[in-house]
């Protein structure tokens, strides 16, 4: 058995950061899971639905000797007022368990090990990081812009959006979508990036 401990806030950040990319349909059951890769000094969660991927990495504050990879379905953890209750992720030969300590007692979730191979999302991210510039953004503005673009879809059929930008990281960029004769453009001004991004 392999086991790691994190606190409930860290666990919530891992799950909430990737659960929107978990496959909803039964066509690709392997992608209905979140992959958790535990290393000595980090814990990374991955999800993929075939069109988008998500990756969240946190520092492993309780280092372990031997890393492991496990799979869980998205679960919701209500964070306590202190936010420091422990969450244990445990891998056995047959199952993955998530044990959440709450003020009411211990909740223990069990997940069968899925059949099949999970996509190597880290390889996708390594390729995606090969770019020539960074543009700083305020996430809330991008969310608002994408919600506005999503609102033009009337027919239910999929449509595409385009992101336009200049060759520098100081010019505004535009996200544009067209659907059923409607063009929606959202302009977002960049922000100054922090040194560690």
């Amino acid at each position: 058995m392999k086991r790691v401990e994190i606190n409930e806030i860290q666990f919530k950040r891992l799950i909430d950061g990737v659960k929107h990319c978990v496959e909803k349909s039964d066509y690709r059951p392997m992608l209905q899971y979140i992959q958790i890769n535990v290393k000595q000094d980090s814990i990374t969660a991955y999800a993929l639905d075939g069109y988008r991927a998500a990756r969240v990495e946190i520092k492993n504050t309780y280092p372990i000797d031997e890393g492991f990879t496990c799979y869980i379905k998205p679960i919701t953890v209500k964070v306590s007022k202190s936010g420091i209750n422990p969450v244990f992720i445990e891998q056995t030969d047959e199952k993955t368990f998530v044990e959440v300590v709450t003020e009411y007692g211990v909740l223990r979730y069990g997940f069968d090990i899925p059949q099949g191979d999970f996509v190597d999302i880290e390889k996708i991210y390594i390729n995606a990081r090969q770019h020539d510039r960074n543009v700083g953004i305020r996430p809330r503005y991008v969310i608002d812009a994408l919600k506005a673009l999503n609102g033009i879809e009337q027919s239910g059929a999929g449509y595409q959006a385009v992101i336009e930008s200049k060759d520098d990281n100081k010019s505004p960029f535009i996200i544009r979508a067209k659907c059923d004769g409607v063009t929606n453009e959202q302009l977002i001004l960049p922000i100054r990036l922090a040194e560690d991004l």
Side-chain angles (χ1 to χ4, degrees):
M1 176 182 73
K2 298 172 184 170
R3 181 175 165 117
V4 69
E5 176 184 344
I6 59 177
N7 70 45
E8 56 193 334
I9 290 176
Q10 292 173 313
F11 184 77
K12 183 170 174 46
R13 285 183 179 150
L14 279 174
I15 302 307
D16 287 355
V18 300
K19 68 182 181 183
H20 64 282
C21 289
V22 172
E23 176 67 52
K24 307 290 188 282
S25 72
D26 292 331
Y27 295 115
R28 292 176 284 196
M30 186 66 193
L31 300 183
Q32 292 177 328
Y33 288 83
I34 295 170
Q35 181 187 70
I36 298 179
N37 189 355
V38 180
K39 294 184 179 177
Q40 183 178 9
D41 58 351
S42 66
I43 302 171
T44 308
Y46 299 95
L48 172 75
D49 68 3
Y51 298 98
R52 56 196 173 162
R55 175 187 186 276
V56 174
E57 181 179 312
I58 63 170
K59 183 178 179 182
N60 187 352
T61 54
Y62 297 98
I64 57 174
D65 293 331
E66 185 180 355
F68 63 95
T69 298
C70 60
Y71 300 89
I72 66 170
K73 298 265 185 149
I75 59 174
T76 302
V77 172
K78 184 178 179 195
V79 177
S80 66
K81 289 179 184 175
S82 69
I84 59 170
N85 285 342
V87 174
F88 299 96
I89 302 170
E90 185 178 292
Q91 180 69 41
T92 68
D93 290 338
E94 290 123 23
K95 282 188 168 295
T96 298
F97 295 98
V98 176
E99 191 173 280
V100 182
V101 178
T102 72
E103 58 192 44
Y104 306 108
V106 176
L107 299 173
R108 188 167 167 90
Y109 301 90
F111 303 94
D112 292 328
I113 296 175
Q115 301 299 313
D117 292 325
F118 202 79
V119 176
D120 186 353
I121 299 175
E122 192 60 37
K123 193 179 287 187
I124 295 170
Y125 271 91
I126 289 169
N127 290 336
R129 284 189 193 102
Q130 296 172 354
H131 59 282
D132 59 356
R133 65 193 162 103
N134 290 324
V135 177
I137 57 168
R138 297 222 181 269
R140 187 188 58 180
Y141 297 161
V142 176
I143 290 168
D144 291 344
L146 293 174
K147 282 182 180 176
L149 294 179
N150 197 46
I152 72 169
E153 186 174 7
Q154 301 289 326
S155 64
Y159 67 97
Q160 297 177 342
V162 174
I163 297 176
E164 292 181 1
S165 68
K166 302 281 185 190
D167 286 338
D168 65 78
N169 60 0
K170 295 182 176 85
S171 299
F173 66 93
I174 295 171
I175 304 174
R176 179 190 327 109
K178 292 183 179 183
C179 183
D180 297 331
V182 176
T183 300
N184 188 330
E185 292 184 332
Q186 304 286 318
L187 183 139
I188 299 173
L189 297 171
I191 60 173
R192 188 179 308 270
L193 282 173
E195 292 296 321
D196 59 349
L197 286 180

